[in-house]
């Protein structure tokens, strides 16, 4: 049920903010597990099939599956997030950003989507927007080392210009 899912996420995010570095990774993984758990067995199968196709770089197959997943289960944020990830891998940044917006509409605390937004803006050389997205992700999940590194690099670049 959605209410139980939200309670789980609230508790996990509360713990994540207070966790030490050793605990952050396990809590992050638990959050991803909740996000990836659809309300339907069919959605779970579609997500797995899409992930398998993406891993094989069969993006046309993955896109067909993810289109069906997002159409049939429009409230399942991880379907949108997985499609955003697929578009990012293909450098289709505008499509990826569109899906990231949908993810964040459904799950405003989705630090993965925020980090993805930062990566896209960084590749587009939109430094300020990239920094904003990364900082939002880090506020939600303070253990994201890659995001911390990206922020340091962007701040260094700002100082050097």
């Amino acid at each position: 049920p959605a209410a139980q899912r939200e309670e789980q996420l609230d508790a996990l995010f509360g713990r994540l903010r207070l966790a030490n570095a050793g605990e952050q990774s396990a809590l992050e993984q638990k959050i991803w597990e909740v996000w990836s758990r659809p309300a339907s067995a069919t959605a779970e199968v579609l997500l797995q099939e899409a992930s398998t196709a993406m891993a094989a770089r069969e993006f046309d197959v993955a896109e067909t599956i993810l289109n069906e997943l997002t159409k049939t289960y429009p409230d399942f944020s991880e379907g949108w997030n997985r499609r955003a990830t697929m578009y990012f891998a293909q450098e289709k940044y505008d499509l990826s950003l569109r899906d990231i917006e949908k993810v964040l509409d459904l799950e405003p605390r989705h630090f993965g989507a925020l980090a993805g937004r930062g990566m896209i803006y960084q590749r587009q050389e939109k430094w300020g927007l990239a920094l904003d997205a990364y900082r939002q992700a880090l506020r939600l999940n303070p253990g994201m080392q890659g995001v911390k590194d990206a922020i340091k690099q962007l701040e260094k670049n700002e100082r050097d210009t």
Side-chain angles (χ1 to χ4, degrees), residues 6-7 18 21 33 55 69 71 73 78 82 89 98 103 106 118 120 127-128 130 143 145-146:
E6 284 307 306
E7 285 178 22
L18 303 173
E33 288 170 11
L69 180 61
K71 179 179 149 200
Y73 303 96
E78 197 53 30
R82 203 64 56 95
R98 182 193 68 197
V103 173
L106 294 168
I120 291 170
W127 312 123
Q145 189 58 51

Side-chain angles (χ1 to χ4, degrees), residues 124-137:
Q124 293 176 331
E125 298 183 1
K126 296 177 180 176
W127 312 123
L129 292 173
L131 264 172
D132 288 345
Y134 285 142
R135 287 175 178 148
Q136 288 175 35

Side-chain angles (χ1 to χ4, degrees), residues 50-116:
S51 297
T52 299
M54 286 171 60
R57 301 193 62 78
E58 295 173 351
F59 294 123
D60 55 334
V61 173
E63 184 172 24
T64 299
I65 296 166
L66 291 168
N67 287 344
E68 181 63 29
L69 180 61
T70 56
K71 179 179 149 200
T72 307
Y73 303 96
D75 294 334
F76 180 43
S77 64
E78 197 53 30
W80 297 98
N81 188 58
R82 203 64 56 95
R83 193 169 72 177
T85 301
M86 179 200 66
Y87 286 141
F88 177 83
Q90 298 175 82
E91 298 181 1
K92 295 179 178 180
Y93 300 135
D94 290 339
L95 292 173
S96 185
L97 285 169
R98 182 193 68 197
D99 281 357
I100 287 169
E101 289 306 315
K102 182 65 176 176
V103 173
L104 295 171
D105 284 346
L106 294 168
E107 178 50 71
R109 298 176 291 192
H110 203 297
F111 50 78
L114 288 164

